[in-house]
Amino acid sequence: MRDRMDGSIQRGQTAAGAATESRRPDGAPATTRSLMLAVGGWPAWSVVGGLTVLAAATTATGLSVPVPTWARYVPLAASLLVFGLPHGAVDHLAPARAAGERPTLRWLGAVGAVYLVLGGAYTGLWVIAPAAAAVFFVGLTWFHWGQGDLYALEAFGGSHLGGRAHRVATILVRGGLPMLVPLLRFPERYRAVVDAWIALFGGGADAAWVTAPAPRFTLGVGFATLTIGTLLAGWRRSGGGTGRAEWRRDAAETGLLWAFFLLVPPLLAVGVYFCVWHSLRHIARLAGVDPASTAAFEKRGALSALLRTGRDAAPLTAVSIAMITGVALFVGIDTDPRTLTALYLVFIAVLTLPHVAIVTWMDGAEGTGVSGKQ
């Protein structure tokens, strides 16, 4: 697995011959592993770990540190420009690069068609059945965030990952940490966010049964059991040496995220996770398939690679911000943070479906993800 993820290929290789290797156009010496550690590893561990320790300390000492309402929305607001929205704004270039090719009009047209068809269909679902669209978004994000972490685990080494069943379980665990654990600890806040999405379209849903103690207890026990079982399966496969070290990183990240989402208020926690965990890891992946970004990383470090990828993302990020601003002004959305957040999350939802399709295609092209070769 490590040879595949860290190997380099020439741009002219065919997609079929390169499918089992990480795409390293022009033989760029920067590896997926070093990019992921520098861009999606240490920054994420530091920020999430620091907030978790702070939250644990205040809980243990009984101190009350009030977080102003506006401050809870800051990470989500920042994600408009910092990592969050931009991490999907390179989708027009990423598939071609993952296939070891230059982006052409054919590639751009294909990506545009995916966004037009899937994004348009999902927008229609929000209008016709907002409650169903909201539930679908939770499930879709659950899968996608798990998908992103599975890729990161492979980039870190991945020798403790098993076959399809183990990889699916890993996706369920890693995606469920940000999408389910906040419901277990902060049910009313979780429900308030979902209700705000639906209210944008004049709909309503009775989700009281989800926030009731008994269903949450059952979900919690089931998810904890899945988490432990998945980690045990990885431990049995890891053997010793490097494989065991990779498993320890997986277990440490899983434990950290459990604590983070149990202790930190959900809007703040999910906003931070979206920016500095999920998005940075995908940006590391984007840099790994872009010869200019990998060259910048090798010569000048992680910041240079981030700036290079950010340049690619800037045009469509600007277009997306203009679109969401235009929608808000056209329909007369008020300036209440909850309403603005709901609108932003619905907009993100519409973009997430085609984004997931693109990332899933990249998984297949690079031989990673659920069907990744061992």
Side-chain angles (χ1 to χ4, degrees):
M1 178 65 191
R2 185 175 297 102
D3 290 340
R4 171 168 59 78
M5 297 300 296
D6 291 346
S8 63
I9 63 170
Q10 300 297 321
R11 181 181 285 114
Q13 278 190 278
T14 65
T20 59
E21 296 181 277
S22 179
R23 309 301 182 193
R24 296 276 79 77
D26 291 336
T31 65
T32 299
R33 176 184 169 85
S34 59
L35 270 166
M36 191 62 69
L37 282 170
V39 176
W42 292 109
W45 300 330
S46 299
V47 174
V48 171
L51 284 174
T52 303
V53 169
L54 179 62
T58 57
T59 300
T61 58
L63 294 176
S64 177
V65 181
V67 179
T69 300
W70 62 267
R72 300 171 187 170
Y73 295 90
V74 167
L76 277 176
S79 71
L80 277 164
L81 294 172
V82 183
F83 308 137
L85 191 61
H87 94 276
V90 192
D91 279 357
H92 60 302
L93 304 174
R97 290 171 175 172
E101 300 179 14
R102 291 181 181 275
T104 62
L105 288 178
R106 177 176 63 86
W107 281 106
L108 298 178
V111 172
V114 169
Y115 266 81
L116 181 63
V117 173
L118 295 184
Y122 195 18
T123 300
L125 183 62
W126 276 103
V127 174
I128 296 169
V135 172
F136 180 74
F137 180 42
V138 171
L140 181 68
T141 306
W142 189 319
F143 167 76
H144 179 53
W145 284 357
Q147 176 187 42
D149 261 18
L150 177 60
Y151 181 88
L153 290 173
E154 291 187 284
F156 290 140
S159 62
H160 69 294
L161 297 172
R164 182 181 294 269
H166 186 214
R167 288 163 178 260
V168 169
T170 300
I171 287 175
L172 291 175
V173 169
R174 286 307 191 99
L177 290 166
M179 297 309 296
L180 177 62
V181 174
L183 172 64
L184 304 178
R185 177 66 175 82
F186 305 95
E188 296 306 324
R189 296 186 189 182
Y190 194 102
R191 182 181 175 185
V193 172
V194 176
D195 286 346
W197 298 344
I198 300 170
L200 284 176
F201 301 91
D206 183 9
W209 67 272
V210 178
T211 57
R216 284 192 294 116
F217 177 78
T218 302
L219 286 170
V221 170
F223 188 65
T225 301
L226 176 64
T227 301
I228 294 170
T230 302
L231 289 176
L232 286 176
W235 182 82
R236 287 195 297 267
R237 181 180 171 81
S238 66
T242 302
R244 188 57 54 86
E246 292 165 1
W247 176 85
R248 284 195 295 268
R249 180 185 290 112
D250 185 358
E253 284 193 350
T254 302
L256 171 61
L257 290 173
W258 257 103
F260 178 66
F261 286 108
L262 281 174
L263 293 170
V264 179
L267 271 176
L268 178 62
V270 170
V272 168
Y273 175 90
F274 181 43
C275 286
V276 305
W277 194 287
H278 172 73
S279 296
L280 272 178
R281 290 185 171 198
H282 187 70
I283 289 170
R285 179 177 190 172
L286 295 173
V289 297
D290 174 27
S293 295
T294 51
F297 175 73
E298 178 66 17
K299 293 177 182 178
R300 295 179 293 277
L303 180 59
S304 183
L306 285 172
L307 292 173
R308 180 62 181 79
T309 305
R311 191 180 76 177
D312 284 342
L316 289 186
T317 299
V319 169
S320 297
I321 293 173
M323 288 175 63
I324 192 172
T325 302
V327 169
L329 294 174
F330 179 77
V331 302
I333 296 294
D334 64 49
T335 56
D336 183 278
R338 291 170 296 182
T339 305
L340 292 175
T341 299
L343 176 64
Y344 177 46
L345 290 176
V346 169
F347 184 76
I348 288 291
V350 170
L351 296 179
T352 296
L353 181 57
H355 175 62
V356 170
I358 297 298
V359 173
T360 301
W361 185 92
M362 290 176 66
D363 283 348
E366 295 183 283
T368 61
V370 172
S371 300
K373 297 177 179 59
Q374 309 302 301

